[in-house]
Amino acid sequence: MIKTKYRELYCSSPRYWGGLASLVFLILLGMGAAYYMEHNGHFVTGMSNQIVWGLPHVFAIFLIVAASGALNVASIGSVFGGPLYKPLGRFSGLLAIGLLAGGLVVLLLDLGRPDRLIVAITTYNFKSIFAWNIILYTGFFTIVGLYLWAMMDRKFEKFKTPIGFAAFFWRLALTTGTGSIFGFLVAREAYDAAIMAPMFIIMSFSYGLAFFIITLMAAYWWADRTIGDLRLARLKNLLGVFVGSVLYFALVYHLTNLYVTQHHGVERFILLDGGIYTAMFWIGQVVIGGIIPLFLLYSPAFATSRFAIAVASMLVLIGGFFQIYVIVIGGQAFPMNLFPGKEVLESSFFDGVVAAYSPTLAEGLLGFAGVVVAMTLVAIGARMLRVLPESLEDPADAECV
Amino acid sequence: MSINNDQPDLQRRNFIGKTVLAAGAATVAPGVMLTVANAGSEEGVSSDVRWGMLIDTNKCADGCTACVEACNKENGIDLIQRPEGQSDEMWDAQRPQWIRKVKLRDTQTGEVSNLPMMCQHCEHPPCVDVCPTGASFKRADGIVMVDRHICIGCRYCMMACPYKARSFIHQNVAEQLTGAPRGKGCVESCNLCANRIDEGQETTACQDACNQEGHKAILFGDLKNPQSEIAQALKTHHSRQIRADLELNTGVRYTNV
């Protein structure tokens, strides 16, 4: 078997530095937006006392969920022993760290008091799933960092498998924690479901792998390196399984809710008459994020098309973003039913009515800057560290693999 | 002292050891003393009391907002100014409201009722469970409130509150009352006029205002004292908790709703 050679991601200077400069410019825009919101307060956003978590939270949760899933490829390589995935493990670890950092930056800058970071990391209420998550996030950085080290330094290679196992279980715990942020909320009808945690895990598999495929293809295109068809086909098929599973979990979630009379209202809202949220669910989540990617990934017409793989991965991400938007914003927009059997005639606090939310430009810029932070870290990391194999050509004895 | 000796210099070790001990004691002792002194303090609230409210919706008058106005004045909520350029709808959605009036109609019987809604001061408050830093807390006397010094503004308590009772401060607070400190980026809600209670008073601003209007719909008092007016009333009148299905054992109860 030919030994894999890793090399830093080199491409011509103008191409690299020009790309990096554009990314930094977008980050600066995001920082400006964060300063504007922090300086004025959240009144300059579309968030209110009705919709308390807005667009930045959607971006943050999306990135955090994807971060955990981006580690899949490394796990398959070192925990489950998939030989075709092994050379991709380092890049998978780097991407996972980058995506989590991007998500956390957005989450932090959307706090009402971002200046109290030190309070958030020193004062814990251990009954809070949010407090557990802070530990899960910092632990993820540490464990994946060590995992990356064990994959890259021959002296530490013997630790690769145990750390790989630890990272695998940690990433499951992390997404369980993220899903449980919603699953533990008894107050709102759209949440309060134990299925949230496993659903977030499968969502992470799907979004993480989609991010991985896109960044991998972009990196190899950027540096004029080659990826073999067999490897891409494996990644593509795996993505298809995950996309199907996300759809399945969404189906089970809604069917379970439909079984519970108490939740009929919110189901009607999301599936039938919720306006923008219904459109986002059916068109965004189901069609764009599910059915079209499945068609592109499995149709024989696109069997060898790399463009189809790239488009399918991108659509999975767009659909995933809509899915989180529907969960986070749609779940809050639906009115809480405080008085069953009663109709609210008057209230100064929007009781009984669907809450309105229009995100402002500042929220969008902050959220998008999180994605750019992740991509910048990956671009710098891949340039400085030997995370990407020089060539990902298919092995000669591919049949045996 | 001879240095032709490989034994450790015990005198120096002793000196270092004692210095570290003394420094440690000097650092820790004041904290311990304060904690011990505070433990026996009569200033703190006691779990012998549980403050609560009973609201008679039959007496809550249609169109009357005396309780809301009194609450706003007592806690300086009326001092918050509308930011320039903010639309009416956003001002309504973003300004803090500790107490609100709600008018309901029974969809089957057509019966109309009015009631004030505020923090229900749960015995098992979901907001306290979810708060990552412990800023959201329940006092020994049953009052649920927010420590604005350690609130990071994550708003998870607002997501968790089944009563939509909490408000986030969306803008700068130029003027405020010393009895109700608050600030941009923190969450707040009804604290049963804790500032009054801690001064030894036994009524809330909303109750006083409702009484002044002559409606007497709000009764505030100690739920644990069998002799208190509220405990007597709860014993004789059928009352209910809003969202009793969540089993939060709220401190605020309603009759005739």
Side-chain angles (χ1 to χ4, degrees):
Chain A
M1 198 172 159
I2 305 162
K3 196 153 175 52
T4 311
K5 271 190 195 159
Y6 293 90
R7 197 161 55 92
E8 292 88 345
L9 188 73
Y10 276 113
C11 57
S12 65
S13 270
R15 204 167 171 185
Y16 182 77
W17 292 108
L20 212 55
S22 326
L23 292 175
V24 170
F25 174 72
L26 291 170
I27 293 175
L28 286 174
L29 280 182
M31 284 169 69
Y35 173 76
Y36 170 68
M37 288 191 283
E38 191 277 331
H39 194 65
N40 289 288
H42 275 57
F43 96 85
V44 294
T45 70
M47 288 177 257
S48 64
N49 288 326
Q50 322 305 320
I51 302 283
V52 301
W53 285 351
L55 191 59
H57 266 72
V58 177
F59 272 103
I61 294 167
F62 177 65
L63 287 169
I64 291 167
V65 167
S68 147
L71 200 64
N72 270 339
V73 173
S75 297
I76 298 170
S78 55
V79 176
F80 301 107
L84 272 180
Y85 293 95
K86 257 185 190 160
L88 302 170
R90 297 180 181 186
F91 186 63
S92 158
L94 176 69
L95 181 64
I97 290 178
L99 288 170
L100 185 65
L104 289 186
V105 163
V106 179
L107 200 61
L108 177 72
L109 291 175
D110 189 46
L111 291 179
R113 295 297 303 250
D115 53 314
R116 288 186 181 163
L117 174 65
I118 193 76
V119 175
I121 56 177
T122 54
T123 316
Y124 288 117
N125 163 27
F126 285 104
K127 209 177 173 190
S128 165
I129 191 81
F130 224 62
W132 299 359
N133 276 358
I134 296 168
I135 297 165
L136 288 168
Y137 298 151
T138 43
F140 188 83
F141 280 129
T142 314
I143 293 178
V144 179
L146 288 173
Y147 187 24
L148 203 53
W149 190 358
M151 283 190 279
M152 294 179 69
D153 189 340
R154 202 166 289 173
K155 274 186 288 182
F156 290 92
E157 209 177 354
K158 58 184 173 208
F159 299 113
K160 198 172 90 176
T161 312
I163 297 177
F165 267 101
F168 177 67
F169 287 113
W170 198 273
R171 49 120 23 248
L172 289 182
L174 183 136
T175 333
T176 305
T178 314
S180 301
I181 285 179
F182 298 96
F184 280 11
L185 290 177
V186 291
R188 295 171 191 265
E189 288 172 31
Y191 310 138
D192 182 26
I195 199 175
M196 283 287 186
M199 188 165 85
F200 268 63
I201 290 180
I202 199 68
M203 280 153 62
S204 85
F205 284 8
S206 176
Y207 311 164
L209 188 58
F211 254 120
F212 182 85
I213 293 174
I214 289 171
T215 44
L216 184 76
M217 288 175 91
Y220 274 64
W221 165 79
W222 222 18
D224 281 332
R225 298 188 193 176
T226 49
I227 313 177
D229 283 334
L230 183 64
R231 236 180 276 267
L232 267 183
R234 285 284 171 96
L235 290 170
K236 171 187 109 149
N237 290 341
L238 192 62
L239 182 65
V241 173
F242 292 157
V243 171
S245 307
V246 170
L247 280 179
Y248 167 75
F249 266 80
L251 176 73
V252 174
Y253 164 77
H254 288 290
L255 283 179
T256 319
N257 261 358
L258 281 168
Y259 191 73
V260 183
T261 314
Q262 197 185 349
H263 293 165
H264 284 179
V266 74
E267 282 305 314
R268 189 177 173 82
F269 178 69
I270 299 292
L271 302 179
L272 280 179
D273 56 16
I276 182 85
Y277 303 108
T278 304
M280 280 185 182
F281 174 77
W282 288 112
I283 301 171
Q285 182 182 330
V286 177
V287 177
I288 296 177
I291 293 169
I292 300 178
L294 278 179
F295 177 71
L296 289 174
L297 293 171
Y298 285 132
S299 165
F302 303 107
T304 53
S305 164
R306 293 181 175 221
F307 182 67
I309 298 175
V311 171
S313 305
M314 194 53 91
L315 293 181
V316 168
L317 290 182
I318 294 169
F321 187 81
F322 279 123
Q323 183 168 13
I324 305 252
Y325 195 99
V326 171
I327 292 174
V328 177
I329 315 280
Q332 294 175 80
F334 184 71
M336 277 194 247
N337 190 5
L338 297 188
F339 312 98
K342 308 262 184 187
E343 167 194 7
V344 180
L345 297 179
E346 278 173 32
S347 164
S348 57
F349 210 55
F350 302 88
D351 285 293
V353 294
V354 174
Y357 173 69
S358 315
T360 58
L361 179 65
E363 292 167 85
L365 287 176
L366 170 63
F368 188 67
V371 183
V372 182
V373 165
M375 294 303 110
T376 309
L377 287 174
V378 171
I380 295 173
R383 173 84 160 191
M384 294 178 71
L385 303 170
R386 291 177 181 171
V387 290
L388 285 166
E390 223 166 35
S391 162
L392 280 176
E393 283 293 359
D394 294 335
D397 52 351
E399 287 300 316
C400 305
V401 180
Chain B
M1 191 188 292
S2 165
I3 52 162
N4 301 326
N5 184 335
D6 61 356
Q7 290 301 307
D9 183 347
L10 292 178
Q11 267 182 327
R12 203 170 72 172
R13 284 201 170 177
N14 258 336
F15 173 74
I16 294 172
K18 282 177 182 163
T19 311
V20 169
L21 252 174
T27 317
V28 175
V32 174
M33 306 256 288
L34 277 174
T35 313
V36 171
N38 201 32
S41 164
E42 288 174 11
E43 301 276 317
V45 295
S46 156
S47 58
D48 295 340
V49 180
R50 186 178 177 201
W51 298 110
M53 248 181 203
L54 177 62
I55 293 159
D56 187 340
T57 57
N58 274 354
K59 294 179 181 168
C60 183
D62 194 2
C64 172
T65 53
C67 56
V68 179
E69 281 148 27
C71 174
N72 288 350
K73 196 151 185 263
E74 176 75 21
N75 298 294
I77 299 167
D78 56 348
L79 297 174
I80 287 210
Q81 285 174 351
R82 177 173 170 158
E84 222 172 289
Q86 193 182 38
S87 69
D88 289 349
E89 201 191 346
M90 280 317 270
W91 171 235
D92 278 342
Q94 291 181 333
R95 74 191 156 101
Q97 296 195 46
W98 288 21
I99 181 171
R100 63 187 188 269
K101 275 293 294 283
V102 183
K103 187 175 178 179
L104 305 168
R105 180 169 54 206
D106 193 299
T107 46
Q108 280 194 22
T109 64
E111 179 203 15
V112 173
S113 49
N114 286 279
L115 53 94
M117 269 300 296
M118 70 285 272
C119 171
Q120 302 286 298
H121 299 278
C122 314
E123 186 188 359
H124 309 289
C127 56
V128 174
D129 287 346
V130 303
C131 175
T133 63
S136 202
F137 69 104
K138 190 184 74 166
R139 302 196 334 178
D141 59 1
I143 296 178
V144 176
M145 53 197 288
V146 182
D147 180 342
R148 256 80 118 215
H149 293 291
I150 53 171
C151 173
I152 57 171
C154 71
R155 286 103 73 200
Y156 196 21
C157 59
M158 299 176 75
M159 292 289 286
C161 175
Y163 304 102
K164 279 215 304 177
R166 296 210 147 182
S167 293
F168 178 71
I169 302 305
H170 287 79
Q171 64 257 21
N172 277 311
V173 182
E175 259 190 287
Q176 53 182 309
L177 303 174
T178 47
R182 53 228 302 248
K184 179 180 76 179
C186 289
V187 173
E188 54 183 45
S189 61
C190 157
N191 58 11
L192 289 179
C193 289
N195 51 323
R196 285 179 167 222
I197 306 303
D198 293 344
E199 282 170 4
Q201 294 185 55
E202 294 203 339
T203 59
T204 60
C206 54
Q207 181 191 19
D208 283 353
C210 190
N211 287 349
Q212 267 173 24
E213 291 292 313
H215 304 308
K216 296 187 177 167
I218 301 175
L219 185 57
F220 173 79
D222 177 11
L223 301 170
K224 279 189 174 170
N225 176 5
Q227 307 308 320
S228 71
E229 203 181 335
I230 187 170
Q232 298 282 340
L234 280 166
K235 210 171 177 181
T236 49
H237 293 89
H238 175 71
S239 67
R240 57 164 284 196
Q241 305 172 43
I242 307 288
R243 290 224 59 183
D245 60 312
L246 297 175
E247 299 181 9
L248 303 172
N249 192 18
T250 56
V252 178
R253 306 288 175 108
Y254 294 81
T255 58
N256 303 312
V257 67

